[in-house]
Amino acid sequence: MKKLSIYCLLFLFAGFFMNACSEDELSSQSVIMDSNTELNAFDIWLEKHYRIPYNVKLKYRLDDTETNISYNLSPVVYEKGVAFAKILLHAWFGTYNEIKGEDFTKTYIPKDIVLVGSGMYSASSTTVGTASGSVKITFADLNDRINLNNLSVSSLIGGLDTTGTGNKNGAVLLTAIHEFTHILQQTKPYPEEFSLVSDNDYAGGDWDKVFTTYMQGWQKGFVTKYAGESPNEDMAEMVAIYVVSGAKVWDAVLRRADLEVPATVAADSDTRPSVKLVKKMTILRKYLKDSWAIDLDEMHTVFTRRVNELPSMDLTTLD
């Protein structure tokens, strides 16, 4: 009897809630909205310049669900977020628009871009960018890298210090080009022969232990230390370094890579680091030209001009 009473009560309650729900209109407010934050001028500008033309969502408000919780992060300063959004449009999107057309950029640019003010710090390095496949890219350390009163191009583009004692690698625009190259790789695979040139020298996850200096990487035929991680990273690093640094730096790397090669080794020997680098660059250029109709020297020229235009641009006004 007691059990029956309980079941009756449950039935009555269920009927009550069903009736209540049937009489109310469904709310038009989604329960999975990020927030009820009122749109500001930057939000409206992003809608006009990112979301509508490119179907890209640029997120500048710090959201734990969008970042790696193992890092203690801080948000990008509002004004610097505005500046960097304009920098990306002009130097990154704009380069691909100019050499390939807007339809190309709209098709392949990552659809989620996350901005973070602080760097992603570890015991040995500061990460300024990460990517999740071809869908999302995160740019970090923007509060330190963007000086609104005196914009430093070198702090944005990165590149190499070919003395072998230091480097300027790891800047945000170099990271942008590196990650975009991964999208191209994933869409149209590059020739296997590229991987075979340095097949026995890739270090995988131990790359930072095997190659502790840039010179050690160059001596194995890698343009940067990180290029020694895998063929995919090797190709992405070669593209990014060449685009931001050009032929002059590339030639300097070739010379320095052979500094410790014995004089008895033939100039065209496959054991020479410079020969490995040239072989891979030849394959890379052909891949980009045949598969994507991209000329690496043209891309470097366009990117360099656009980056050099940044200091004279208005990076604060939202038109």
Side-chain angles (χ1 to χ4, degrees):
M1 189 69 179
K2 185 180 292 186
K3 289 183 178 179
L4 180 61
S5 299
I6 293 173
Y7 291 148
C8 290
L9 286 172
L10 289 174
F11 179 80
L12 289 172
F13 274 117
F16 171 78
F17 282 117
M18 288 176 66
N19 288 333
C21 291
S22 64
E23 293 174 2
D24 293 338
E25 293 183 359
L26 291 175
S27 172
S28 61
Q29 181 67 47
S30 170
V31 296
I32 58 172
M33 289 284 286
D34 292 338
S35 69
N36 293 321
T37 303
E38 185 176 348
L39 297 181
N40 58 36
F42 188 22
D43 296 317
I44 296 170
W45 184 91
L46 289 172
E47 179 76 2
K48 176 182 177 182
H49 293 278
Y50 274 81
R51 213 281 304 166
I52 293 176
Y54 295 101
N55 192 28
V56 170
K57 186 172 184 180
L58 186 145
K59 305 169 186 178
Y60 65 94
R61 294 183 175 93
L62 193 61
D63 183 346
D64 289 342
T65 65
E66 295 286 355
T67 55
N68 189 330
I69 61 174
S70 63
Y71 295 113
N72 185 18
L73 303 176
S74 60
V76 64
V77 173
Y78 178 90
E79 293 78 8
K80 295 188 177 187
V82 170
F84 191 65
K86 301 187 84 170
I87 287 169
L88 285 182
L89 272 187
H90 188 74
W92 190 31
F93 287 50
T95 293
Y96 294 113
N97 285 346
E98 189 168 337
I99 67 172
K100 288 293 297 176
E102 288 189 7
D103 286 345
F104 173 86
T105 310
K106 291 175 182 178
T107 299
Y108 296 111
I109 206 75
K111 300 310 176 188
D112 285 311
I113 298 175
V114 179
L115 308 187
V116 178
S118 57
M120 301 177 185
Y121 301 106
S122 68
S124 59
S125 65
T126 301
T127 300
V128 298
T130 61
S132 300
S134 59
V135 179
K136 182 173 79 172
I137 184 168
T138 300
F139 295 103
D141 203 31
L142 297 180
N143 289 343
D144 284 342
R145 290 178 182 268
I146 298 178
N147 184 337
L148 296 176
N149 298 318
N150 183 24
L151 188 70
S152 170
V153 168
S154 63
S155 70
L156 292 172
I157 66 172
L160 286 176
D161 174 357
T162 54
T163 63
T165 58
N167 73 86
K168 296 178 181 178
N169 193 16
V172 285
L173 290 181
L174 184 143
T175 299
I177 295 169
H178 174 109
E179 298 302 341
F180 195 94
T181 303
H182 282 317
I183 296 174
L184 301 185
Q185 293 171 344
Q186 293 161 10
T187 306
K188 297 181 182 181
Y190 54 86
E192 185 182 1
E193 59 182 316
F194 180 92
S195 309
L196 298 177
V197 175
S198 297
D199 188 40
N200 296 322
D201 296 319
Y202 291 113
D206 291 329
W207 66 270
D208 55 342
K209 300 179 181 67
V210 175
F211 309 115
T212 58
T213 68
Y214 269 67
M215 182 61 77
Q216 289 176 338
W218 296 336
Q219 289 171 348
K220 288 293 185 179
F222 299 121
V223 70
T224 66
K225 295 181 290 183
Y226 187 42
E229 196 270 350
S230 67
N232 285 347
E233 302 304 340
D234 195 1
M235 178 173 281
E237 284 288 89
M238 289 181 74
V239 172
I241 290 296
Y242 196 93
V243 169
V244 305
S245 301
K248 186 176 180 180
V249 168
W250 172 254
D251 290 341
V253 169
L254 294 180
R255 290 192 300 271
R256 292 197 62 80
D258 283 348
L259 282 180
E260 297 186 17
V261 176
T264 54
V265 177
D268 60 351
S269 171
D270 289 342
T271 62
R272 276 187 175 272
S274 62
V275 171
K276 294 179 181 180
L277 284 162
V278 169
K279 279 187 176 182
K280 287 187 288 188
M281 180 59 80
T282 301
I283 297 168
L284 169 57
R285 284 182 179 276
K286 188 175 189 304
Y287 162 74
L288 290 175
K289 196 72 174 178
D290 293 350
S291 297
W292 297 103
I294 291 176
D295 181 275
L296 208 51
D297 288 295
E298 178 192 11
M299 188 173 173
H300 164 69
T301 299
V302 172
F303 175 80
T304 301
R305 171 173 50 77
R306 285 182 165 273
V307 166
N308 287 335
E309 290 167 352
L310 292 173
S312 61
M313 287 177 55
D314 178 3
L315 298 177
T316 58
T317 302
L318 291 170
D319 48 20

